[in-house]
């Protein structure tokens, strides 16, 4: 059974069952260690192709490879698998490095490039030719494809299959020397055109391609294919366990074949595991690149992107992403993980990590009529309700404050515990206020401000006479407020499986970004740094945007709301 047949629909892990998922690869390694395979060594690698930015799927692979090395006291290399010159770049290499480090892993001095092995890969190809295990085929790519056969029909031998090693060596050297146009010849492994596994039907090892490589420049006009380059790169680096995703399962015989023919230092074990797929998310660098190129998003690090750069900018923490990867485990069955699990784990992490603060996104002006002009009261606010050791801060209260527009209703519905004319609410950390009247704009009729009074005997929030007030609102003193732009994000796709659509872009959520201007934040937030997380009380988790925020003009990102509003929407829908 192939992995496609085993694929399941949506796996929704219980958010409460938050123990680490199982990992069958660790079972395999335990056994390898028990029998003394690889002399007890564990050496893995994370091998991205630098043709895009790391996404959350890569995070699974990073955590698996580096985490496995850590667990067994082994090593993990970073390897840039850069054998495809047309799509790769230094920008992507640097992004991968940054993201692996950010996730909390370290390759020490072991950062390698497949392109550094081009010369050795070429020499090994000569070895295959000399041994009669590879030949130059001079047919068109179409003819080669046609002769390959399919699942039902065996392939046919190429008329060039029996060229002598001498002729092959000569042609291969001239391919390298640039004597032939692109596509004129390929180097193929000589295996078996009748093999049940199509990958074994004389696969192409090298092709001619005149393309500038970001590292080797124009030194080469022939480039090795992935299947040939990858196994040899692994062997040259002394990798023991070569972990890759399930679609390479059918390539494993070729991986082993190449290494069996060559005098390589080691023969790593390839082990395949299930790719991560997330609901409401696209995880293909090609599609993500399309979103970037077509300016659907602002870049690879747009906070709505499932890239590590995007998550970082949005305020996700490496700890949350690692915990997520831990929780989903590593298995051999493809499935879709509910993005709500990632969000749940993020909320748990941020709830503990983020200090509390107050910010008003859509301000409504409130004048405290019995509070003297120019006077300021400083109230003590706890930074974190569960960690008193994180201390307190002073929050200024003055005659004019802002509350959230949503927290006022002129006609209060039943069970409305927030503000309305004639009622009293608590201002968080401060005091009780009562609304006396509403001032409207004479022309538009819009509410411009509320006129309220405060009870000086309720300093700290508890009135002396013990009367009960249910509602508590967040607020910010007008004269002390920091003005900010706040960006509210929602899922980038509004359908659970964007890849199932004919064009994944038709499933984009048109409301994935909402920009709110003129937000008012408490003054302590003036010095916030992009890496610092805050819970804006009653609203969610927020951080300063690392790209667009300046001290004079702060821009904040909402990382995530306090509660999962999608769960409610989906419940209502079903
Ligand atoms: P993409 O289609 O997103 O470009 P890829 O597999 O082509 O993915 P690579 O850069 O070649 O991307 O992958 C580097 C490593 O990360 C590989 O070992 C690959 O198996 C792993 N990887 C990539 N995507 C996922 C995923 N969704 N889940 C788990 N591992 C992944
Ligand atoms: Mg790829």
């Amino acid at each position: 059974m192939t992995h496609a047949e085993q694929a399941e629909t949506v796996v929704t892990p219980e958010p409460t069952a938050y123990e680490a998922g199982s990992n069958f690869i660790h079972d395999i390694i335990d056994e390898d260690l028990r029998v003394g395979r690889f002399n007890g060594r564990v050496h893995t690698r994370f091998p991205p192709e630098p043709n895009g930015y790391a996404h959350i799927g890569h995070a699974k692979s990073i955590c698996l490879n580096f985490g496995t090395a850590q667990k067994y006291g082994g090593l993990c290399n970073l390897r840039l698998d850069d054998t495809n010159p047309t799509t790769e770049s230094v920008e992507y290499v640097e992004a991968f490095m940054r993201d692996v480090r950010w996730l909390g892993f370290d390759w020490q001095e072991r950062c390698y490039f497949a392109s550094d092995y081009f010369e050795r890969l070429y020499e090994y190809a000569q070895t295959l030719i000399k041994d009669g295990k590879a030949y130059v085929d001079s047919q068109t790519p179409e003819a080669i494809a046609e002769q390959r056969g399919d699942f039902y029909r065996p392939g046919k031998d190429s008329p060039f299959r029996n060229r002598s090693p001498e002729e092959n060596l000569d042609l291969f050297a001239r391919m390298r020397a640039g004597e032939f146009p692109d596509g004129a010849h390929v180097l193929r492994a000589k295996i078996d055109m009748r093999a049940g596994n199509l990958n074994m039907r004389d696969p192409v090892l090298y092709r001619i391609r005149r393309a500038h490589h970001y590292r080797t420049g124009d030194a080469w006009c022939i480039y090795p294919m992935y299947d040939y380059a990858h196994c040899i790169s692994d062997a040259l680096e002394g990798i023991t366990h070569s972990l890759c995703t399930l679609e390479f399962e059918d390539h494993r015989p070729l991986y082993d074949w190449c290494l069996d023919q060559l005098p390589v230092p080691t023969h790593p074990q390839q082990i395949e595991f299930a790719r991560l797929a997330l609901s409401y998310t696209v995880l293909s660098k090609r599609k993500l690149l399309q979103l970037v190129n077509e300016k659907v998003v602002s870049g690879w690090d747009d906070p709505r992107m499932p890239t590590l750069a995007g998550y970082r900018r949005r305020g996700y923490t490496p700890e949350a992403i690692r915990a997520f990867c831990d929780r989903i485990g590593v298995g051999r069955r493809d499935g879709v993980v509910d993005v709500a699990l990632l969000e749940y784990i993020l909320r748990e992490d941020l709830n503990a990590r983020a200090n509390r603060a107050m910010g008003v996104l859509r301000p409504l002006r409130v004048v405290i009529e019995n509070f003297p002009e120019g006077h300021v009261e400083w109230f003590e606010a706890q930074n974190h309700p569960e960690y008193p050791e994180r201390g307190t801060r002073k929050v200024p209260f003055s005659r004019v404050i802002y509350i959230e527009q949503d927290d006022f209703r002129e006609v209060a519905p039943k069970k409305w515990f927030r503000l309305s004319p004639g009622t009293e609410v608590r201002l968080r950390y401060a005091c009780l206020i009562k609304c006396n009247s509403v001032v409207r704009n004479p022309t538009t009729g819009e509410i411009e401000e509320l006129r309220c009074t405060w009870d000086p005997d309720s300093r700290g929030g508890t009135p002396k006479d013990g009367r009960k007030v249910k509602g508590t609102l967040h607020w910010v003193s007008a004269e002390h407020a920091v003005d900010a732009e706040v960006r509210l994000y929602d899922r980038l796709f509004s359908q659970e499986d964007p890849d199932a659509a004919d064009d994944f872009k038709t499933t984009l959520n048109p409301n994935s970004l909402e920009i709110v201007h003129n937000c008012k934040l408490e003054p302590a937030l003036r010095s916030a740094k992009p890496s610092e997380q805050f819970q804006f009380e009653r609203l969610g988790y927020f951080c300063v945007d690392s790209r667009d925020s300046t001290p004079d003009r702060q821009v904040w990102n909402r990382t995530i709301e306090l509660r999962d509003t999608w769960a409610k929407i989906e419940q209502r829908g079903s």
Side-chain angles (χ1 to χ4, degrees):
M1 206 190 272
T2 70
H3 67 273
E5 287 164 299
Q6 295 174 332
E8 269 202 351
T9 47
V10 178
V11 184
T12 310
E14 299 291 325
T16 44
Y18 180 169
E19 73 282 0
S22 61
N23 186 328
F24 78 100
I25 291 174
H26 292 167
D27 301 338
I28 294 176
I29 295 177
D30 286 336
E31 178 61 14
D32 287 346
L33 292 175
R34 200 184 60 79
V35 302
R37 201 174 169 199
F38 302 115
N39 296 320
R41 285 191 312 119
V42 174
H43 198 154
T44 56
R45 83 288 172 266
F46 170 61
E49 182 180 357
N51 61 351
Y53 276 56
H55 52 59
I56 184 98
H58 291 112
K60 175 175 178 176
S61 179
I62 294 167
C63 290
L64 172 61
N65 280 294
F66 282 93
T68 297
Q70 256 168 17
K71 176 177 158 91
Y72 291 99
L75 301 171
C76 180
N77 299 354
L78 175 64
R79 167 161 3 107
L80 285 308
D81 205 338
D82 55 356
T83 54
N84 187 10
T86 51
T87 54
E88 298 163 356
S89 79
V90 179
E91 177 196 349
Y92 298 141
V93 170
E94 288 171 352
F96 265 105
M97 290 180 161
R98 196 159 49 232
D99 292 342
V100 171
R101 285 211 187 90
W102 176 72
L103 262 191
F105 298 107
D106 183 5
W107 54 88
Q108 294 152 322
E109 70 291 348
R110 294 178 316 281
C111 172
Y112 300 113
F113 293 82
S115 54
D116 284 345
Y117 307 140
F118 280 170
E119 193 62 49
R120 273 192 276 182
L121 291 166
Y122 181 82
E123 287 163 13
Y124 279 134
Q126 289 177 314
T127 304
L128 289 179
I129 293 172
K130 281 180 204 151
D131 292 347
K133 305 274 176 55
Y135 62 98
V136 173
D137 196 342
S138 309
Q139 301 183 94
T140 61
E142 295 73 39
I144 292 174
E146 167 59 31
Q147 285 164 7
R148 194 164 178 241
D150 55 30
F151 189 71
Y152 305 99
R153 292 179 302 146
K156 288 198 201 77
D157 286 358
S158 161
F160 299 101
R161 198 170 196 263
N162 291 319
R163 274 177 167 154
S164 69
E166 293 69 33
E167 186 182 0
N168 283 322
L169 277 177
D170 175 61
L171 284 169
F172 189 47
R174 290 165 59 196
M175 281 167 67
R176 176 181 181 171
E179 289 188 24
F180 308 114
D182 287 14
H185 308 279
V186 290
L187 183 73
R188 295 178 73 180
K190 193 169 179 177
I191 310 180
D192 179 4
M193 289 306 290
R194 263 147 250 279
N197 183 335
L198 270 73
N199 293 302
M200 299 299 273
R201 295 185 186 172
D202 291 10
V204 172
L205 305 181
Y206 269 91
R207 65 215 190 291
I208 305 174
R209 180 177 272 188
R210 280 180 182 70
H212 189 84
H213 188 280
Y214 75 102
R215 291 187 86 238
T216 57
D218 298 314
W220 293 85
C221 65
I222 57 171
Y223 289 95
M225 302 301 286
Y226 172 89
D227 281 323
Y228 174 71
H230 198 85
C231 55
I232 296 175
S233 304
D234 281 346
L236 291 175
E237 292 174 21
I239 301 303
T240 57
H241 299 84
S242 177
L243 314 180
C244 63
T245 42
L246 280 177
E247 68 272 22
F248 290 100
E249 184 175 10
D250 293 342
H251 297 237
R252 192 184 339 129
L254 178 54
Y255 184 102
D256 288 332
W257 182 89
C258 287
L259 296 186
D260 283 342
Q261 314 311 313
L262 293 167
V264 287
T266 57
H267 189 137
Q269 171 72 55
Q270 173 178 308
I271 307 172
E272 309 86 20
F273 64 95
R275 264 185 120 70
L276 169 66
L278 263 189
S279 60
Y280 298 96
T281 310
V282 158
L283 291 185
S284 139
K285 282 182 285 187
R286 187 178 55 76
K287 289 182 182 168
L288 297 177
L289 177 63
Q290 198 182 334
L291 298 179
V292 173
N293 284 342
E294 296 176 13
K295 304 214 178 335
V296 174
V297 294
S298 63
W300 283 101
D301 67 350
D302 186 300
R304 293 165 294 175
M305 288 281 269
T307 53
L308 298 185
Y311 286 124
R312 173 167 60 240
R313 184 169 163 198
R314 172 136 164 197
Y316 278 60
T317 61
E319 291 84 355
I321 292 177
R322 289 204 307 265
F324 170 74
C325 292
D326 214 35
R327 169 67 185 83
I328 57 177
V330 178
R332 281 189 49 85
R333 196 163 62 170
D334 277 330
V336 181
V337 176
D338 192 337
V339 71
L341 178 70
L342 173 62
E343 295 169 346
Y344 170 83
I345 290 173
L346 175 70
R347 279 191 191 94
E348 281 220 322
D349 182 71
L350 292 180
N351 179 41
R353 187 179 308 278
N355 280 347
R356 276 36 173 178
M358 290 194 291
V360 174
L361 299 190
R362 294 178 174 86
L364 172 58
R365 207 176 127 87
V366 175
V367 179
I368 315 288
E369 294 180 298
N370 61 341
F371 197 93
E373 303 256 7
H375 179 61
V376 179
E377 294 255 345
W378 291 88
F379 291 110
E380 185 113 349
Q382 258 193 325
N383 287 331
H384 198 293
E386 285 148 54
Y387 302 101
E389 65 275 18
R390 295 207 201 157
T392 59
R393 65 190 187 283
K394 296 279 193 199
V395 184
F397 181 73
S398 61
R399 184 175 157 88
V400 181
I401 62 161
Y402 294 111
I403 64 167
E404 210 71 60
Q405 287 168 15
D406 267 2
D407 282 335
F408 177 77
R409 290 279 177 86
E410 205 161 11
V411 181
K414 261 198 199 136
K415 298 209 172 159
W416 179 257
F417 300 119
R418 299 180 237 171
L419 201 58
S420 61
T423 66
E424 197 171 39
V425 292
R426 178 180 301 100
L427 296 179
R428 184 87 164 127
Y429 305 117
C431 59
L432 302 183
I433 60 166
K434 185 173 177 177
C435 177
N436 303 318
S437 61
V438 178
V439 179
R440 290 178 175 283
N441 180 303
T443 37
T444 66
E446 268 174 53
I447 298 178
E448 279 193 332
E449 67 178 36
L450 306 180
R451 309 294 291 191
C452 295
T453 43
W454 77 305
D455 173 3
D457 275 344
S458 67
R459 281 189 177 83
T462 331
K464 282 225 173 94
D465 65 7
R467 67 184 183 280
K468 295 271 178 288
V469 170
K470 265 203 166 156
T472 299
L473 310 185
H474 59 276
W475 57 277
V476 170
S477 163
E479 67 171 288
H480 302 89
V482 180
D483 283 312
E485 171 186 320
V486 177
R487 298 175 181 171
L488 307 178
Y489 301 105
D490 198 352
R491 293 180 182 169
L492 188 52
F493 295 94
S494 47
Q495 274 181 37
E496 204 165 290
D497 184 1
D499 291 318
D502 287 337
D503 174 4
F504 76 104
K505 288 196 343 201
T506 59
T507 71
L508 280 163
N509 175 5
N511 305 315
S512 59
L513 168 64
E514 183 187 354
I515 299 179
V516 190
H517 297 279
N518 302 317
C519 305
K520 305 287 182 182
L521 311 182
E522 69 162 275
L525 294 174
R526 199 179 298 278
S527 55
K529 287 172 219 52
S531 54
E532 253 179 305
Q533 273 290 343
F534 292 92
Q535 184 194 99
F536 289 2
E537 299 209 24
R538 301 175 67 227
L539 296 178
Y541 297 97
F542 295 75
C543 67
V544 165
D545 187 72
S546 55
R547 193 180 277 283
D548 297 338
S549 192
T550 64
D552 304 331
R553 203 186 143 275
Q554 281 198 341
V555 177
W556 287 72
N557 295 318
R558 183 177 69 196
T559 309
I560 193 152
E561 288 172 283
L562 287 181
R563 272 171 295 277
D564 182 359
T565 49
W566 274 83
K568 273 183 274 164
I569 291 165
E570 279 163 7
Q571 256 168 23
R572 237 181 285 136
S574 62

